[in-house]
Amino acid sequence: MDNAPIGIFDSGLGGLTVARAVIDKLPDEEILYLGDTAHTPYGPRAIAEARRFTLECLDELAFRGVKALVIACNTATAAALSDARERYWIDAHIPVIEVITPAAKQAVATTRNRRIGVIGTQATIQSEAYRNALAAVPGLHVSQQACPDFVPFVERGVTTGVELEAVAREYLQPLKDDGVDTLILGCTHYPLLTGVIGRVMGEGVSLVTSSEATANVTYNELTDRDLLHEPWAEGDGPHHQFMTTDSGDTFPRLARRFLGPEVGNVQEISIASGASAQ
């Protein structure tokens, strides 16, 4: 048993979709969530810059005593996974869980015609992380499309509307033309856009998100390593914590909308100093 929290990191709001799935899968666990809202979105940034921001945020979570780290951001995973596993798992024995491999495995199990589409940020697509994850499976046709405007829509709280649908149609048409029957939503912000993405792609296309698959991996890692939280006493329960790197009110408002009442106070922290901004 280990009663320390699970650290979940994302560049902003998107990782809340993973946090929701982890809370549902592991209701006794406490979550310590960090959204790097001062630097979101990561997608347009250089890989080296995204790697630096990612490791700084993971350092903060590790310093606060988490028992596992979930990188709930595809861009951050593509940029920093190997460094993170060396720094935290090999050196500090903190399991590091990512979102790309679980989604890739789920897509392989889902596809019927072996034509898989991937959408993600510019950095994720350029990294070829999903194509590499799928390369071991023979006979797959993989089509990729960067969707750089999707994250800003979500970060503004826009998940429906004519403007968003027009952008989605432009992005997704090449994947429809390629005849994909399975589409990986290769950014944890994108599950918040499943309504419009599903509408554009049509009922015959299965949408694969990393949230549920990543929660399953988290459950298995904690179980296999005897890191599960002990059962709570009657009348008590987990107290989740949420942190951001800027002082805006957008994250608390949208976090409560997208995740629910589990989001209480949101603390602003300074990654550079490690001190809270009161």
Side-chain angles (χ1 to χ4, degrees), residues 99-109 116 129-130 133-134 137 140 184 208 213:
V99 289
I100 290 177
T101 305
K105 288 181 177 179
Q106 185 178 338
V108 171
I116 294 174
Y130 275 100
L134 295 165
V137 182
L140 287 182
I184 297 174
V208 171

Side-chain angles (χ1 to χ4, degrees), residues 37-116:
T37 48
H39 299 118
T40 196
Y42 278 14
R45 296 183 180 276
I47 289 291
E49 189 174 37
R51 180 185 298 115
R52 176 167 61 86
F53 291 149
T54 298
L55 294 175
E56 287 173 352
C57 289
L58 294 177
D59 280 347
E60 179 70 23
L61 289 172
F63 175 77
R64 290 172 181 259
V66 300
K67 64 183 174 186
L69 287 165
V70 179
I71 308 176
C73 174
N74 288 262
T75 302
T77 297
L81 179 60
S82 60
D83 293 314
R85 283 190 165 151
E86 180 176 357
R87 182 178 299 196
Y88 308 111
W89 172 230
I90 296 176
D91 293 347
H93 304 294
I94 302 173
V96 177
I97 299 155
E98 45 90 14
V99 289
I100 290 177
T101 305
K105 288 181 177 179
Q106 185 178 338
V108 171
T110 301
T111 184
R112 305 174 302 281
N113 68 1
R114 305 185 72 77
R115 302 182 75 85
I116 294 174

